[in-house]
Amino acid sequence: MNIVFMGTPEFAVPSLKKLIEEFGITAVFTQPDRPKGRGKKIAMSPVKEEAIKHGIPVYQPLKIKNDIESIENLKKINPDFIIVVAFGQILPKEVLDIPKYGCINLHASLLPKYRGAAPINWAIINGETESGNTTMLMDVGLDTGDMLLKSKYEINENMTYGEFYDILKQDGAELLIQTIKKILKNEIIPEKQDHSKSTYAPMLNKEIAKINWALKNKEIKNLIRGLNPWPVAYTQYNGDIMKIYEAEAIDANINIKKIPGQILSVGKKGIEVATGEGILLIKKIQFPGGKPLSVEEYIRGNIIKDGVILT
């Protein structure tokens, strides 16, 4: 098999490993090295690191659609498949037309729902109880191509983005292998997406992470789950940023009228906060300069006062 792999983040690494093991990879395309972390040291993508371990040639076009040299290299390689997992660039039609069997993309949602950059996060933020992976034949649109195979998983009410990410990155690798084998045996009939049922999962930013206490307690809990471990939902306690990693929605009536965001009580179980509907019990937090701690651990050496309004 002559396969080119295109991917960038850690999510794509299990797929690359599995493809190397099953078929071998001729070349890898990934994003250019970029500054990373507080020191802003130039770092390779996780996919590049894995490719180098196996001695696979790596190409890093800034924008492949404008990179004549990269496109010519692809034509010379003449791959049977181009496999794309979170590459982070749109492929032009000229590239899509190169491989014999097409460009196959792994997308971490049940298409046509959650097209876009952050499907796992938004599925959890929106309180979905089920999501999964889809393989598809790529076209010039954003996650609009014909679907090939799907795998579904339940999302329980306490599952975080990080936990579901770890499940889907491993599952996706297996789904890609199944997809390739079935294509080679002519056992898949591509299925058109129903574009009228599509939803979009935009890229995350830190503004999304700021908690609006006027929302329902379950909506805030889902936001916290969907942003753990990054970028992490946050609020302000007396002017200090308080990141929130874990919380529980309590369906309790608040008899006395309280302002959304007001701290009702603080104890070993957590911090009870009034919301637009119900109470949110905050269980794990982090303040600037500190590490994430359970509320029980934090209040052993610090004070969080009742009545303060989180903003």
Side-chain angles (χ1 to χ4, degrees), residues 203-220:
M203 192 174 291
L204 298 176
N205 56 45
K206 289 189 177 179
E207 286 69 41
I208 290 165
K210 184 170 172 56
I211 292 171
N212 175 4
W213 292 102
L215 295 174
K216 297 176 182 178
N217 57 354
K218 288 180 181 175
E219 292 173 324
I220 298 171

Side-chain angles (χ1 to χ4, degrees), residues 21-121:
E21 181 185 313
E22 290 280 342
F23 303 112
I25 296 291
T26 306
V28 163
F29 282 67
T30 190
Q31 295 273 40
D33 298 352
R34 294 207 164 97
K36 188 178 180 182
R38 290 183 180 178
K40 299 296 180 186
K41 288 182 70 174
I42 300 299
M44 297 182 286
S45 73
V47 162
K48 181 179 178 180
E49 289 181 359
E50 189 64 30
I52 288 171
K53 286 181 192 174
H54 297 273
I56 300 167
V58 176
Y59 301 87
Q60 296 179 273
L62 187 62
K63 284 192 177 178
I64 195 166
K65 66 179 181 180
N66 300 329
D67 195 318
I68 296 168
E69 184 180 351
S70 288
I71 294 172
E72 287 305 311
N73 282 331
L74 275 170
K75 288 177 179 176
K76 286 175 187 173
I77 293 168
N78 191 27
D80 297 309
F81 290 94
I82 293 177
I83 304 297
V84 182
V85 184
F87 178 39
Q89 295 188 30
I90 299 291
L91 302 189
K93 190 173 186 305
E94 189 176 3
V95 169
L96 298 175
D97 289 342
I98 291 171
K100 178 179 177 181
Y101 295 101
C103 293
I104 310 300
N105 177 233
L106 171 68
H107 186 72
S109 81
L110 300 177
L111 291 170
K113 295 183 77 172
Y114 298 106
R115 295 172 178 170
I120 304 173
N121 302 89

Side-chain angles (χ1 to χ4, degrees), residues 121 124-125 160-161 204 221-228 230:
N121 302 89
I124 292 175
I125 290 168
T160 65
Y161 155 69
L204 298 176
K221 177 188 172 178
N222 290 340
L223 178 74
I224 291 165
R225 293 194 300 128
L227 300 182
N228 177 355
W230 189 91

